[in-house]
Amino acid sequence: MSELSVNHLLGIKYLNKKDIELIFKTADHFKEVINRPIKKVPSLRDITIANLFFENSTRTKLSFELAEKRLSADVINFSAAQSSVKKGETLIDTVNNILSMKVDMVVMRHPNPGAGVFLSKHVSASIINAGDGAHEHPTQALLDSYSIREKLGEVKGKNVVIVGDILHSRVALSNIFALQLQGANVMVCGPKTLIPKYIDKLGVKVETNLRKALNWCDVANMLRVQNERMDVSYFPTTREYAQQFGVDKTLLDSLDKEITIMHPGPINRGVEITSDVADSKQAIILDQVQNGVAIRMAVIYLLASKIKQ
Ligand code: NCD
């Protein structure tokens, strides 16, 4: 039986193409399961998972929790806002205390890049990175590629543009790695100030003209401007940002071809995309959310099967 090449999911950077194929094949099975009248399978009955969220989250937290429950795992939730972290406890102490209650797997979102890698070196549980600062968000990139595969048949050879705040986005970096592993062509588009200086080293195309980027692509993944990560101003006003880098229906309809619109959420309607685009047939935003549960079930299931050996 095939298995993942890793014991943790810390970033797409640590995966190979076969890992992604295995995750997708497993997610196909779970997608079928969650569309059954009885959406639950007993696969993880003896596994306990702790969801540790040191940063806010809606979709990702709910999606992980649902995935865990549909696999029949025992689940405990921890949110930093109500915890002893505020009393000065270190990350390793917090996690070791939780693990001493016999927890097998940790799903962690943390504001510091590399927090998951750090933890994986100090504790025995299997770690899933649910977003570490502006670094990686591997399950988001997996569900994004899975949604492209579902919509367009395959990811290989497709032109994908990631639009917006690339500099502060963990979704962008994980997507770049995942798309390249699968043979897609990747472009980033946004104001120069929101495109990292190291971008050339990642082998992606860079475009600052949104219309040109959209005419090139098959898929546009629209990112939110992550104001909470900005200590200075990166563009004049939100209105000007929306005029230059926002997609509205008029722009979409004026393109040479019909493209697919994606968004990881949360959407700032009227900034990166208008409501008529977000709610249009070309947008697969809610399919992404639905696929997120199947992808997370697949990742958890595959990592848990390595723990049991
Ligand atoms: C993203 C995140 O938290 O990195 N959202 C998500 O996980 N669905 C993107 C964002 O916050 O804009």
Side-chain angles (χ1 to χ4, degrees):
M1 205 191 93
S2 334
E3 57 171 35
L4 291 177
S5 68
V6 290
N7 295 324
H8 309 275
L9 180 62
L10 301 172
I12 301 290
K13 194 169 58 192
Y14 305 100
L15 299 183
N16 60 43
K17 197 166 162 243
K18 281 217 154 62
D19 289 327
I20 296 189
E21 282 164 6
L22 177 61
I23 293 168
F24 286 3
K25 219 176 89 195
T26 315
D28 285 341
H29 166 69
F30 285 128
K31 185 150 179 175
E32 190 255 311
V33 167
I34 55 184
N35 282 306
R36 287 182 198 159
I38 296 169
K39 301 174 178 59
K40 226 169 151 158
V41 285
S43 321
L44 260 64
R45 241 178 0 207
D46 50 351
I47 293 277
T48 305
I49 306 178
N51 298 318
L52 312 186
F53 279 72
F54 295 89
E55 205 187 74
N56 294 344
S57 168
T58 313
R59 247 159 308 271
T60 306
K61 191 158 178 273
L62 289 178
S63 181
F64 268 111
E65 199 174 333
L66 209 53
E68 292 152 5
K69 288 184 169 161
R70 290 195 169 152
L71 289 166
S72 305
D74 288 324
V75 180
I76 53 171
N77 286 303
F78 162 95
S79 146
Q82 300 127 25
S83 74
S84 293
V85 173
K86 295 266 180 278
K87 299 180 189 166
E89 191 171 60
T90 67
L91 176 61
I92 294 180
D93 279 342
T94 303
V95 176
N96 270 331
N97 272 281
I98 294 167
L99 293 182
S100 66
M101 298 179 230
K102 302 269 176 265
V103 168
D104 305 289
M105 194 179 282
V106 169
V107 173
M108 184 170 75
R109 170 165 288 195
H110 200 281
N112 295 351
V117 176
F118 173 76
L119 200 61
S120 70
K121 293 190 174 138
H122 290 90
V123 302
S124 57
S126 179
I127 314 286
I128 299 179
N129 176 8
D132 58 335
H135 181 222
E136 280 228 40
H137 190 355
T139 55
Q140 181 68 45
L142 289 168
L143 75 89
D144 287 345
S145 285
Y146 185 81
S147 303
I148 294 174
R149 167 185 176 264
E150 183 179 73
K151 171 82 182 179
L152 302 178
E154 62 178 342
V155 178
K156 190 169 175 219
K158 296 292 179 289
N159 291 348
V160 181
V161 63
I162 306 170
V163 182
D165 181 1
I166 313 298
L167 185 66
H168 300 100
S169 174
R170 50 193 172 215
V171 176
L173 193 61
S174 286
N175 258 282
I176 291 170
F177 291 147
L179 291 165
Q180 287 179 338
L181 262 182
Q182 296 166 91
N185 309 307
V186 188
M187 176 187 278
V188 295
C189 175
K192 271 205 176 97
T193 49
L194 289 176
I195 294 179
K197 290 200 177 64
Y198 61 77
I199 200 80
D200 294 341
K201 298 199 173 64
L202 295 177
V204 302
K205 297 178 202 302
V206 180
E207 178 59 71
T208 49
N209 181 309
L210 180 63
R211 175 177 289 278
K212 282 190 189 157
L214 296 181
N215 268 325
W216 169 85
C217 76
D218 301 300
V219 177
N221 197 349
M222 307 301 299
L223 302 181
R224 182 176 67 89
V225 173
Q226 312 224 341
N227 288 310
E228 75 278 16
R229 298 221 165 93
M230 298 182 186
D231 41 14
V232 292
S233 190
Y234 287 82
F235 47 83
T237 62
T238 302
R239 191 156 160 261
E240 278 168 278
Y241 178 87
Q243 273 169 0
Q244 273 195 59
F245 296 102
V247 177
D248 62 15
K249 200 75 176 72
T250 316
L251 175 57
L252 209 54
D253 291 344
S254 72
L255 300 176
D256 302 341
K257 56 180 171 185
E258 192 171 300
I259 63 165
T260 298
I261 299 287
M262 300 175 68
H263 196 305
I267 301 174
N268 280 326
R269 286 176 182 252
V271 184
E272 64 273 9
I273 49 174
T274 51
S275 279
D276 49 6
V277 171
D279 303 330
S280 74
K281 282 207 183 74
Q282 281 168 260
I284 56 166
I285 300 167
L286 292 178
D287 300 312
Q288 291 172 259
V289 178
Q290 201 193 104
N291 288 334
V293 179
I295 281 289
R296 290 178 175 118
M297 284 173 84
V299 167
I300 294 166
Y301 174 82
L302 291 166
L303 289 176
S305 60
K306 296 195 83 172
I307 298 173
K308 278 194 244 171
Q309 280 166 14

